[in-house]
Amino acid sequence: MERILHFFVQYPIDFIAHISSVLPIVIGISRYRYLNNSLKIILFFFIISFIKDTYSLALIFSIPNNLYVQNIESVYQTALIGAVFYFSFEENFSRRIISLSTILCTAFTLFYYKNNEVSSISLSIVRLLAIALALAYFSKKMVDMRVKNIMKHSMFWFSAGLLIYAAGTFFAMSLSEYWYKDINKVPVEIFDKYWNSSQILLIIFAMLSTVGLWFAKCDNDNFV
C-alpha cells in the first residue's frame, strides 16, 4: 500500500487518469435503463479499461515488464469501438463496412501483438479506426439532420472525446517503440511529456464520455 501511495504521489496525472475511468462507469450504471446497445458497449469499454489499468498497476510491483497488457488493450479497444459504431448506424451497408473494418483491424492488432515490448502498429491501428469511425458518425449526423439538439446527444460526446483522444495520441503512439525502447535515446523528461499528454487526453475522453452517458435519458426524445 505504501508503494502504491508513493506511486500516486509521484505520478498524480496517472492517478487521475486511472480514477477518471470510474466516472463513466458510475454514470453508466445509474443510467443503465436508458442505455441503447452502443451506450452499453461504451459502459463495458470503460469497465474493461478500469480493470486493465488496475491489473497493470498491480503488475508494476511484481514484474519488470507489463507492456503486454498495453498491447492487449489495442485488441479489445478495436473490437469494442467497432461494436459501438456498428450499433450507431442503421444502414446495412454501413454496418457491413464497419464489421469488415473492425474484423480486419482486430486481426492486424493480434498479428502485430508483442509480448515483451510495445507494438506501435497495434496502437496506431486502433487509433486510425477510431478516427475514421468517429468522423463517419459526425458526417452521418450532419447528413441526416435528425438530432434536435446535438449537445444532448449521447454519441456526440463519446465520438468527440474519442476523436480528441485518438487523433491527439496517434503520432505519439506511432513512435512508441522508439521512445519506450532506449532511455539513452529518449530522456525521461521527454518521455514523461509524451506520456502525461496522452494521459490528459485520456482524462478528457473519459469526461466527455461521462457527459454522453448522462444524456442517455434524452436520446429517445432528441430525434426528429
Side-chain angles (χ1 to χ4, degrees):
M1 182 59 67
E2 289 180 359
R3 295 178 67 184
I4 292 175
L5 292 175
H6 174 73
F7 175 84
F8 286 152
V9 170
Q10 189 173 1
Y11 305 103
I13 296 178
D14 288 25
F15 172 68
I16 296 171
H18 181 65
I19 296 301
S20 66
S21 297
V22 176
L23 287 176
I25 295 173
V26 172
I27 297 301
I29 292 174
S30 68
R31 297 273 178 168
Y32 189 81
R33 61 176 174 165
Y34 302 111
L35 302 186
N36 56 31
N37 288 331
S38 292
L39 298 180
K40 287 177 181 178
I41 296 171
I42 292 171
L43 172 60
F44 184 66
F45 176 95
F46 282 101
I47 291 174
I48 294 297
S49 295
F50 181 75
I51 293 173
K52 186 274 300 179
D53 289 339
T54 303
Y55 177 64
S56 181
L57 178 63
L59 286 179
I60 67 174
F61 299 110
S62 58
I63 61 175
N65 190 332
N66 64 354
L67 291 177
Y68 73 93
V69 179
Q70 188 169 352
N71 292 330
I72 291 174
E73 179 184 57
S74 300
V75 178
Y76 80 76
Q77 283 187 348
T78 303
L80 291 178
I81 289 171
V84 168
F85 287 99
Y86 174 86
F87 287 108
S88 299
F89 284 75
E90 297 82 18
E91 303 84 1
N92 289 330
F93 177 75
S94 298
R95 286 188 166 189
R96 284 196 293 268
I97 294 297
I98 293 172
S99 297
L100 180 60
S101 301
T102 302
I103 291 171
L104 287 175
C105 289
T106 304
F108 277 119
T109 57
L110 286 170
F111 181 78
Y112 288 104
Y113 172 83
K114 295 181 180 180
N115 192 44
N116 294 317
E117 58 183 288
V118 69
S119 173
S120 61
I121 296 178
S122 294
L123 293 172
S124 300
I125 287 172
V126 63
R127 283 159 176 78
L128 283 175
L129 179 67
I131 292 169
L133 292 179
L135 290 175
Y137 186 78
F138 284 132
S139 176
K140 173 182 181 294
K141 290 305 170 186
M142 290 178 64
V143 172
D144 290 347
M145 297 296 289
R146 293 183 56 232
V147 179
K148 295 178 183 177
N149 186 348
I150 194 68
M151 301 303 291
K152 291 185 178 181
H153 181 48
S154 297
M155 279 299 298
F156 165 78
W157 291 100
F158 172 77
S159 300
L162 181 64
L163 185 60
I164 291 171
Y165 175 69
T169 59
F170 174 74
F171 289 106
M173 292 300 106
S174 64
L175 298 172
S176 57
E177 287 186 12
Y178 172 78
W179 52 272
Y180 263 101
K181 200 165 193 178
D182 191 349
I183 194 172
N184 295 318
K185 293 181 179 179
V186 181
V188 174
E189 296 79 11
I190 302 298
F191 177 88
D192 285 344
K193 287 181 180 179
Y194 278 107
W195 180 257
N196 289 337
S197 64
S198 67
Q199 294 298 88
I200 291 171
L201 290 171
L202 179 60
I203 295 169
I204 294 172
F205 174 38
M207 296 299 101
L208 293 180
S209 298
T210 302
V211 175
L213 291 168
W214 175 261
F215 281 121
K217 186 178 180 179
C218 304
D219 278 343
N220 289 336
D221 300 323
N222 198 27
F223 286 94
V224 176

